[in-house]
Amino acid sequence: MASAAVSPGSPVRVRFCPSPTGNPHVGMVRTALFNWAFARHHKGTLVFRIEDTDAARDTEESYNQLLDAMRWLGLDWDEGPEVGGPHAPYRQSQRMDIYADVARKLQDAGHAYKCYCTTEELDARRDAARAAGRPSGYDGHCRDLTPEQIGAYEAEGRTSIVRFRMPDEPITFTDLVRGELTFTPDNVPDYGIVRANGAPLYTLVNPVDDALMEITHVLRGEDLLSSTPRQIALYAALAEIGVGNGRVPEFGHLPYVMGEGNKKLSKRDPQSSLNLYRERGFLPHGLLNYLALLGWSFSADQDIFTMDEMVAAFDIKDVNANPARFDLKKAEAINADHIRRLDLKAFIEACDPWLKPPHAPWAPEDFDQAGWEAIAPHAQTRLTVLSDITANVDFLFLPEPVEDEASWQKAMKEGAADLLRTARENLAAADWNAESLKEAVLAAGEAHGLKLGKAQAPVRVAVTGRTVGLPLFESLEVLGRERTLARIDAALAKLGG
Ligand code: GLU
Ligand code: ZN
């Protein structure tokens, strides 16, 4: 399934290049996923690059979290941190001399210049332009300063930033998602590429690395669309000064993700934190499956798929330009489906962290692997997220059922003690397997004019503490005769009988 976005024979090279600020978030994961799927579909290369040139905001902790997140998700990269590659290093903080050199060459070739304007001057001229109804971006004031003017500014002790000189014609490109787009010079004024303190900006380092790393396709969020005409112009200048192979990559901008109240999902929204989904026990592939649907669809009638299926089907041309809505319920439903698709052994292993401290409320020595494995198939069909397993099986490993007052009140109504007494008698005499245990409770119900559902409720609360849980008779079978009867006795004592 070759995409028209890829010319035959040219190897695809894409990149995922987050800045290590804050916690990984779902928008970032979607970008990583689409780049990964595109690279894998085209048997290309995924470059993982760390854009850590903002010393004030980037942290080592965030960098480690990014790598950990990619590993947890199973999104592997072909070049980048830890795996290396022909364009190493892949952390921009280790490439500063490259950027300084390129900035110098751009100035020497006349593609960039020093701008001495102060913030106050820029603000005043912008306000005046607005008032006069003229474009309010940078006005090119320092484009063609004479050596005398430069000398005078320097003598005044002014500092300067480096600005890139945009061409005076419109820039048109065909976005892989949005089709043809044109930006006029008024909309894209000359822009800063190096700060007054010499620190290179995203506007410079990102396209420089894309050029040097021979990136063929840039797939990123719509919020970066306004950078694209600037970067296309910069590419042309880079080609002229011999940086990169002179090929401008194709661009595809992924749609916005909307959260609550139809507002853009921001990385500060708690809902957008990747850690939240990990802690709740989303499966990596369940989460990725859901995130894939934010702007893409597998097929009209199938929204659950494996990563292999996604890779086989993924085409950037099928990505939708309309904003996508983040829907937690749908994410959970998809995750539940992925839980059910695990083979039992994998399910048992996946639950493991939630059956241990700090998640599990029971003493580790009270955990019983055989009991867990016996009940696991019944749990697998019922979980939405893996963290739910703890409350579903705690009755097996706690010395006593949890105390849940609401459940107690609901189940232990009038007549509950009589029912429990009969049920206890029948259970004590029954063969200890789910089928016979069901017969025993059914018969107790009949003796008191209760249907099975009503008869089960007091037994369930007596034994597990809760009105809802895994199938009762399978639960009793695993819990065993002795503990079941003891818990019913304790409930009867509490009921005063
Ligand atoms: N470091 C940029 C970001 O995290 C990358 C943007 C891009 O893909 O060009 O937003
Ligand atoms: Zn200026």
Side-chain angles (χ1 to χ4, degrees):
M1 231 191 277
S3 157
V6 177
S7 34
S10 86
V12 160
R13 292 179 57 84
V14 292
R15 78 315 193 258
F16 171 55
C17 55
S19 302
T21 60
N23 298 327
H25 57 92
V26 291
M28 173 189 269
V29 174
R30 186 204 43 182
T31 299
L33 171 63
F34 282 30
N35 278 286
W36 177 85
F38 187 78
R40 296 293 168 258
H41 178 87
H42 293 290
K43 309 224 172 344
T45 299
L46 176 62
V47 176
F48 183 13
R49 182 172 80 220
I50 307 293
E51 304 215 313
D52 57 348
T53 51
D54 188 346
R57 295 178 62 226
D58 300 326
T59 68
E60 201 60 19
E61 188 195 351
S62 177
Y63 166 75
N64 289 322
Q65 281 197 32
L66 276 171
L67 264 65
D68 180 51
M70 291 288 277
R71 270 194 230 96
W72 179 73
L73 291 161
L75 298 178
D76 56 335
W77 58 96
D78 309 299
E79 293 178 23
E82 292 180 348
V83 305
H87 303 284
Y90 292 89
R91 290 184 75 168
Q92 290 185 328
S93 56
Q94 295 166 3
R95 300 169 64 79
M96 290 300 190
D97 45 346
I98 298 177
Y99 311 130
D101 183 53
V102 173
R104 176 81 268 130
K105 288 181 175 147
L106 285 170
Q107 291 175 80
D108 291 347
H111 289 298
Y113 57 90
K114 285 187 171 160
C115 165
Y116 292 90
C117 300
T118 65
T119 318
E120 293 74 27
E121 288 166 347
L122 292 171
D123 288 351
R125 296 205 311 267
R126 192 198 50 223
D127 293 347
R130 278 215 183 113
R134 282 181 283 118
S136 61
Y138 184 70
D139 56 5
H141 181 272
C142 303
R143 270 192 156 193
D144 301 299
L145 296 178
T146 62
E148 291 70 35
Q149 288 170 307
I150 292 174
Y153 281 144
E154 298 270 349
E156 269 180 49
R158 289 192 184 221
T159 58
S160 59
I161 67 163
V162 180
R163 264 187 210 281
F164 182 72
R165 186 190 301 270
M166 283 295 290
D168 293 316
E169 5 10 293
I171 292 179
T172 295
F173 67 97
T174 304
D175 188 280
L176 296 169
V177 175
R178 270 143 237 281
E180 191 176 287
L181 299 170
T182 296
F183 292 80
T184 60
D186 280 354
N187 293 320
V188 197
D190 296 352
Y191 60 95
I193 56 175
V194 180
R195 282 189 219 277
N197 67 5
L201 290 161
Y202 161 78
T203 50
L204 177 71
V205 298
N206 177 279
V208 165
D209 280 347
D210 285 350
L212 290 173
M213 296 179 182
E214 298 175 17
I215 298 302
T216 58
H217 297 76
V218 169
L219 311 180
R220 60 183 175 191
E222 185 175 347
D223 52 321
L224 290 156
L225 186 56
S226 62
S227 304
T228 301
R230 300 166 167 194
Q231 294 181 350
I232 288 174
L234 183 51
Y235 264 108
L238 292 175
E240 253 180 57
I241 62 169
V243 174
N245 64 7
R247 259 186 56 186
V248 180
E250 307 230 34
F251 290 85
H253 292 89
L254 311 177
Y256 283 122
V257 180
M258 314 305 277
E260 296 294 330
N262 223 25
K263 286 212 301 271
K264 253 179 18 185
L265 190 68
S266 109
K267 38 184 170 197
R268 281 165 295 279
D269 273 323
Q271 263 214 89
S272 74
S273 158
L274 176 67
N275 290 340
L276 177 88
Y277 298 91
R278 281 181 79 166
E279 277 157 25
R280 288 193 61 210
F282 268 72
L283 293 173
H285 288 174
L287 184 63
L288 290 176
N289 182 159
Y290 176 67
L291 295 179
L293 299 175
L294 296 175
W296 183 72
S297 65
F298 180 72
S299 76
D301 53 6
Q302 189 186 336
D303 56 12
I304 312 279
F305 42 86
T306 64
M307 286 301 108
D308 285 347
E309 288 173 314
M310 177 175 183
V311 165
F314 189 76
D315 188 337
I316 187 68
K317 298 245 154 162
D318 295 336
V319 171
N320 196 315
N322 298 326
R325 200 172 72 81
F326 192 85
D327 177 349
L328 184 58
K329 283 275 165 292
K330 172 121 192 198
E332 288 174 347
I334 287 180
N335 192 59
D337 223 296
H338 279 264
I339 290 179
R340 282 191 263 294
R341 284 163 184 238
L342 293 175
D343 68 43
L344 181 60
K345 191 164 164 283
F347 171 71
I348 287 172
E349 276 166 20
C351 289
D352 202 55
W354 284 277
L355 300 170
K356 290 191 171 135
H359 298 288
W362 53 81
E365 61 273 20
D366 289 342
F367 178 72
D368 156 32
Q369 184 70 22
W372 156 231
E373 288 185 13
I375 205 78
H378 304 290
Q380 187 174 2
T381 54
R382 284 171 175 76
L383 297 189
T384 298
V385 289
L386 296 173
S387 60
D388 288 348
I389 194 61
T390 319
N392 270 290
V393 300
D394 61 2
F395 72 96
L396 282 176
F397 311 123
L398 288 170
E400 273 157 35
V402 292
E403 276 183 45
D404 178 42
E405 195 50 33
S407 291
W408 183 271
Q409 294 303 339
K410 200 164 158 203
M412 300 301 187
K413 303 229 165 83
E414 229 193 287
D418 294 338
L419 181 278
L420 278 178
R421 230 174 271 117
T422 314
R424 189 206 188 279
E425 238 167 69
N426 294 357
L427 289 168
D431 283 346
W432 209 259
N433 61 63
E435 192 119 337
S436 313
L437 300 174
K438 181 175 174 184
E439 291 304 321
V441 173
L442 190 66
E446 273 164 12
H448 296 278
L450 296 172
K451 293 232 169 71
L452 181 62
K454 286 262 186 269
Q456 271 194 77
V459 178
R460 181 187 285 284
V461 171
V463 173
T464 71
R466 297 190 180 86
T467 48
V468 289
L470 302 184
L472 180 62
F473 305 109
E474 282 77 3
S475 299
L476 300 186
E477 181 180 325
V478 177
L479 186 64
R481 187 190 309 267
E482 208 178 307
R483 284 194 288 173
T484 300
L485 298 182
R487 287 179 187 193
I488 295 177
D489 289 340
L492 280 167
K494 191 171 163 189
L495 286 168

